[in-house]
Amino acid sequence: MINEIHDTHDDNNVTGSISKEKLLELVKNESIDTVVLGFCDMQGRLMGKRITGDFILENDISEGTHFCNYLLGTNFEMDTDDGYEYMNWDKGYGDYLAKPDWDTLKVVPWLEKTALVFCDVYTVDGEEQIKIAPRNILKEQVKKAESYGLSPHMASELEFYLFNDSFSDINKKGYSKLEPAGHLNEDYNLLQGTKNEPIYQEIRKQMHLMGITIESSKGEAYKGQHEINLKYADALKAADQHLMFKHGMKEICIQNDKSVTFMAKPYAEWTGSSGHIHLSMMEKGTHNNAFYAGDNAENPISDTLKHFLAGIIKYTRDFALMFAPYINSYKRFAPNSWAPVSIAWSRDNRSAGYRMVGCGNSLRFESRISGADMNPYLAYSALIGAGLYGIEHKIPLPDELKGNAYNQDAIERIPSSLHEAILTWKESDVVKEVLGEDVAKHYLHAAQSEQNDFDSYVTTWERSRYFEQS
């Protein structure tokens, strides 16, 4: 049964976005007693601290809060891996500073008397942004787009699996014999969706109260699989919404003894979970879509869109680590699986890696490459950076793909493994030019560490295959 979650704020049930001044007012009248200062780590998780109301009234938290810099140089297990230049034992694992971006301040409706603000990561003195922090990477690409007179607008579509067991129960079972919250293929099936609609309705409601707009939710193509579509926004806000949705959904599931996974491929026989990204490019300061050539144009696709998409197509393999960052990410890519393997574009064709959709001022393309396990700041950055490189170098757009992309062997393919993606990243001069040497080196090391961890692990599959018969 869904736990009842009330908006208990005394100040006229304040929800959604608020100003710093309003926050202080709410703290003073005890409507808010906790403020979460959060920042995004490399894995796309929200890290940070909970600050008490009393501390906020006594101190100017605009200065931010300190955290150990290893949080931007670790893996999922929070290990302090050797080899990171920005953080290591020789440098003593010092502090970074998380400084609030007050434009992101929101009341959290599913947590009692709690507000949350996203932070950007700075050097300990607060003078310089840390280049390798995911949100800073995206801000740099947005700034670059603005120098071209462009403003990227984006939206995420996230697929996931819901379970009736809690995260704790699944952990105790060793992540085996998982039972999703459903027993039939749910793709667009309203009857199947109804079985879990109470919690999905609660999630949509709570996100609405927080100011995160969900356009729709629907069943997906396997038992217990679902999809939620977030409303488009400027790139930074869209990435913030993506991160907050995933974090918030997990918190709401915890409150209701359920769990959810956004991993790309939980089981070999299950349908993979995608993280599709829609991207359009507005002329800076206007509502004019720079991808649309105009009503009177013979071809509605502008040169801006042609070169932008051409850059992405040409360098998808180079940037694969930002679209598919983990070992498991590559298990999702399979022929006839609804996950693309071909780096090509087509109009409304789901077998292609990039699908052009919309018309007029809503003309855009959908990247179908990323899985739901992506870090939105990094995946968004790769799309924007590669696209702008295409504009700068006037890269010609390849011909539109016709027919079934899965059957066309001449088309370049997405790397088939993390190991292959590491090699293409390592050898790419474009990655270094677009993201900078520091970012390229830092995320290369993160991927190599992930690969090394996997290579040293002996799996159940190996024991069952080789134990007796090798």
Side-chain angles (χ1 to χ4, degrees):
M1 183 168 179
I2 299 299
N3 293 340
E4 192 172 1
I5 303 173
H6 295 287
D7 300 319
T8 57
H9 309 301
D10 297 330
D11 197 285
N12 299 319
N13 292 327
V14 174
T15 59
S17 298
I18 59 173
S19 65
K20 179 187 174 185
E21 291 71 28
K22 185 63 176 179
L23 171 66
L24 295 175
E25 178 185 325
L26 294 172
V27 171
K28 287 175 183 176
N29 69 28
E30 299 183 349
S31 295
I32 295 288
D33 62 19
T34 303
V35 179
V36 178
L37 270 62
F39 64 93
C40 183
D41 72 357
M42 290 197 298
Q43 287 76 28
R45 299 174 294 185
L46 196 58
M47 298 291 182
K49 295 179 182 179
R50 287 178 165 86
I51 309 298
T52 65
D54 289 341
F55 183 87
I56 290 168
L57 293 178
E58 295 172 3
N59 299 271
D60 184 3
I61 60 170
S62 293
E63 297 176 3
T65 186
H66 295 101
F67 68 92
C68 179
N69 65 18
Y70 96 101
L71 291 173
L72 289 177
T74 185
N75 59 17
F76 277 111
E77 304 298 330
M78 308 299 288
D79 298 322
T80 51
D81 294 330
D82 294 333
Y84 286 108
E85 291 187 10
Y86 270 67
M87 59 285 295
N88 52 61
W89 284 116
D90 288 337
K91 294 182 178 178
Y93 282 108
D95 278 349
Y96 284 155
L97 188 67
K99 292 179 65 173
D101 177 348
W102 293 112
D103 288 339
T104 68
L105 179 62
K106 293 178 180 290
V107 175
V108 184
W110 58 86
L111 297 176
E112 186 176 0
K113 295 186 176 183
T114 299
L116 178 145
V117 62
F118 282 1
C119 297
D120 290 317
V121 180
Y122 286 78
T123 51
V124 69
D125 59 8
E127 295 297 320
E128 183 180 348
Q129 288 195 344
I130 300 300
K131 294 178 181 178
I132 52 94
R135 197 169 190 265
N136 291 344
I137 294 172
L138 179 55
K139 289 176 73 174
E140 184 63 27
Q141 294 306 314
V142 170
K143 181 180 177 181
K144 193 183 300 182
E146 289 175 346
S147 73
Y148 284 80
L150 301 171
S151 175
H153 282 59
M154 308 177 82
S156 295
E157 297 177 351
L158 290 170
E159 297 170 1
F160 50 84
Y161 283 89
L162 180 72
F163 301 89
N164 288 325
D165 294 317
S166 69
F167 285 113
S168 177
D169 289 340
I170 288 177
N171 177 266
K172 290 174 182 176
K173 292 198 299 185
Y175 299 93
S176 64
K177 300 180 180 179
L178 304 187
E179 296 181 9
H183 61 278
L184 296 170
N185 184 318
E186 299 202 21
D187 201 18
Y188 289 93
N189 192 316
L190 293 174
L191 181 62
Q192 300 309 314
T194 299
K195 296 172 183 177
N196 291 301
E197 177 59 10
I199 192 165
Y200 289 137
Q201 189 173 42
E202 185 68 15
I203 289 165
R204 293 195 304 269
K205 170 189 169 185
Q206 297 299 328
M207 293 298 163
H208 172 75
L209 291 173
M210 199 177 186
I212 297 175
T213 301
I214 292 174
E215 292 189 336
S216 64
S217 65
K218 73 173 191 69
E220 257 302 325
Y222 202 76
K223 305 168 188 176
Q225 191 182 34
H226 220 75
E227 175 185 278
I228 282 184
N229 300 337
L230 299 172
K231 184 177 175 61
Y232 77 93
D234 66 81
L236 188 63
K237 182 178 179 180
D240 290 344
Q241 290 183 154
H242 176 131
L243 179 63
M244 192 63 245
F245 168 76
K246 285 181 69 173
H247 182 85
M249 185 173 184
K250 290 176 183 179
E251 288 189 332
I252 294 169
C253 282
I254 288 169
Q255 291 171 339
N256 291 281
D257 294 322
K258 293 182 180 290
S259 59
V260 63
T261 184
F262 293 90
M263 71 180 293
K265 190 82 167 177
Y267 279 94
E269 63 272 22
W270 292 14
T271 303
S273 288
S274 298
H276 300 152
I277 301 170
H278 286 252
L279 194 156
S280 60
M281 194 68 74
M282 298 293 115
E283 295 172 0
K284 184 180 175 183
T286 76
H287 297 291
N288 299 324
N289 187 352
F291 283 172
Y292 179 52
D295 295 337
N296 298 322
E298 183 176 339
N299 186 344
I301 302 173
S302 71
D303 288 342
T304 298
L305 173 52
K306 291 176 184 176
H307 295 316
F308 190 89
L309 185 53
I312 290 171
I313 289 173
K314 185 169 184 177
Y315 296 109
T316 291
R317 287 179 56 84
D318 296 54
F319 287 95
L321 289 184
M322 287 193 162
F323 304 132
Y326 311 119
I327 295 287
N328 183 258
S329 305
Y330 295 85
K331 304 295 177 67
R332 173 176 154 266
F333 299 124
N336 305 315
S337 67
W338 298 98
V341 296
S342 301
I343 304 172
W345 75 276
S346 189
R347 290 177 174 83
D348 199 16
N349 181 342
R350 286 181 169 86
S351 69
Y354 299 98
R355 185 171 74 113
M356 197 170 295
V357 293
C359 59
N361 212 47
S362 67
L363 182 66
R364 63 195 185 279
F365 69 87
E366 174 194 45
S367 170
R368 301 179 59 80
I369 304 294
S370 299
D373 58 347
M374 66 170 154
N375 182 325
Y377 300 102
L378 302 182
Y380 285 17
S381 294
L383 288 174
I384 296 169
L388 294 176
Y389 190 89
I391 291 175
E392 180 181 353
H393 294 273
K394 291 184 169 54
I395 297 173
L397 182 65
D399 291 338
E400 178 186 0
L401 176 139
K402 300 289 187 179
N404 185 352
Y406 292 118
N407 294 335
Q408 300 186 34
D409 294 335
I411 302 171
E412 195 168 39
R413 299 297 174 104
I414 295 160
S416 60
S417 66
L418 181 63
H419 178 70
E420 185 180 347
I422 287 170
L423 291 178
T424 58
W425 178 283
K426 188 175 183 178
E427 295 170 358
S428 174
D429 292 329
V430 173
V431 167
K432 300 181 185 71
E433 182 176 343
V434 168
L435 300 177
E437 290 275 358
D438 289 351
V439 172
K441 188 178 297 183
H442 189 82
Y443 285 89
L444 172 62
H445 185 70
Q448 288 172 327
S449 296
E450 182 83 358
Q451 184 71 59
N452 291 340
D453 286 346
F454 179 78
D455 289 345
S456 65
Y457 184 75
V458 179
T459 65
T460 300
W461 183 89
E462 291 169 277
R463 281 190 291 271
S464 65
R465 192 175 184 90
Y466 305 126
F467 189 92
E468 180 178 347
Q469 303 201 67
S470 62

